[in-house]
Amino acid sequence: MLHSLTWAQEYRRHETNLGDLIQNLFPVQTEGIDYPTVYENLYQLYASPLDLNTVTRDELSATYLLTERQLNSLFEYRVSFGPFLSVYELQAIPDFDLPTIRRLLPFVTVDAQNRLFSIRNPTDHYLIMRVERVLEPQKGFTPGEPDKNGKVPRRYDGSRQQWYWRYRYSRPRDFSFGFTLEQDPGEPFRWQPGRYQYGMDYISFHAQFQNRGRWRNILIGDYQL
């Protein structure tokens, strides 16, 4: 008796302008969704796509790429027909049309190697720095009325720029560590530990561990639902 191992056709991802892609995914923003975080997560998923054979409903739902009905169809299909052999099988799932599949393809994969070997995802460093400034004159940054000593006070002590820093070190679906720093326009940069002021006016951090035995998600620090 002879046995052979056959793989389905592999899908080759094309080079994509991810910034334009994400803007096209969400041309109209609605309330209740933290879009900066959604963008960040999609950037990470583009670098380390979700495996359709191991992805959970929560992970796929958090991308906002599929409707509830499409999520139901995908996981019912996986239960009924077993592991995906190729991303081309998405065409066979009820409620999946061509625009849906094209929207999803950059962020998912079918990793044949993971069915034979246990290969851990590589770690990832993510750093974003954003500086914003309103070009129009703002009253808060103009000189105030002179006091009795002739000094002209400043209405705001800080600069006109808004600063935002975020760093994250992670391995997808394993662990994540990071911090966020933010400085609003007009807020001064002060280092006064006695007054709980440590430079920027907003400092936050997180430490997250996933899939640790019975614990699916352990998170300390800032988080979102």
Side-chain angles (χ1 to χ4, degrees):
M1 182 178 295
L2 299 177
H3 295 274
S4 63
L5 188 62
T6 302
W7 300 116
Q9 183 180 3
E10 294 293 333
Y11 168 73
R12 293 185 61 186
R13 294 199 305 167
H14 301 287
E15 290 295 328
T16 302
N17 186 321
L18 195 54
D20 291 343
L21 174 63
I22 293 177
Q23 289 181 4
N24 291 332
L25 289 176
F26 304 102
V28 179
Q29 298 187 0
T30 58
E31 294 185 7
I33 298 178
D34 183 2
Y35 283 97
T37 301
V38 172
Y39 295 164
E40 180 184 335
N41 290 339
L42 289 179
Y43 271 100
Q44 188 178 31
L45 289 180
Y46 183 76
S48 180
L50 295 167
D51 187 346
L52 288 173
N53 289 325
T54 58
V55 65
T56 66
R57 184 188 180 93
D58 289 341
E59 290 172 335
L60 203 51
S61 176
T63 65
Y64 294 97
L65 297 175
L66 299 177
T67 65
E68 287 297 314
R69 183 172 180 176
Q70 290 169 336
L71 288 168
N72 291 337
S73 296
L74 187 149
F75 287 98
E76 288 173 2
Y77 181 92
R78 195 171 73 181
V79 170
S80 300
F81 298 98
F84 288 88
L85 299 179
S86 167
V87 293
Y88 291 106
E89 271 191 85
L90 292 173
Q91 301 172 86
I93 300 178
D95 303 313
F96 271 59
D97 54 14
L98 193 56
T100 298
I101 295 172
R102 287 175 175 168
R103 186 169 62 243
L104 189 62
L105 280 179
F107 309 104
V108 297
T109 187
V110 173
D111 191 349
Q113 291 295 105
N114 279 342
R115 293 198 291 271
L116 296 179
F117 308 103
S118 177
I119 301 178
R120 307 193 74 180
N121 292 330
T123 57
D124 175 68
H125 294 272
Y126 178 90
L127 174 65
I128 181 173
M129 183 189 76
R130 185 171 68 237
V131 182
E132 299 180 14
R133 176 171 176 166
V134 177
L135 297 179
E136 292 80 4
Q138 295 176 285
K139 185 177 180 180
F141 296 98
T142 58
E145 296 295 330
D147 59 18
K148 61 181 180 180
N149 297 320
K151 293 184 178 180
V152 179
R154 298 175 59 187
R155 290 188 171 93
Y156 293 151
D157 292 334
S159 68
R160 296 176 59 182
Q161 285 81 11
Q162 180 178 13
W163 297 84
Y164 178 86
W165 294 73
R166 186 165 188 176
Y167 170 76
R168 179 172 63 186
Y169 171 61
S170 63
R171 176 181 286 128
R173 297 170 290 283
D174 191 358
F175 68 84
S176 176
F177 304 94
F179 61 85
T180 301
L181 307 175
E182 188 171 0
Q183 185 81 1
D184 291 329
E187 291 289 343
F189 186 92
R190 294 194 178 102
W191 186 266
Q192 298 177 335
R195 296 185 178 183
Y196 303 102
Q197 295 178 333
Y198 303 96
M200 293 192 172
D201 61 349
Y202 177 83
I203 301 175
S204 181
F205 78 96
H206 79 275
Q208 180 183 29
F209 301 92
Q210 296 175 284
N211 303 314
R212 306 286 170 156
R214 295 182 178 180
W215 297 91
R216 291 188 57 190
N217 204 344
I218 305 172
L219 199 148
I220 303 172
D222 58 356
Y223 69 96
Q224 68 173 30
L225 297 178

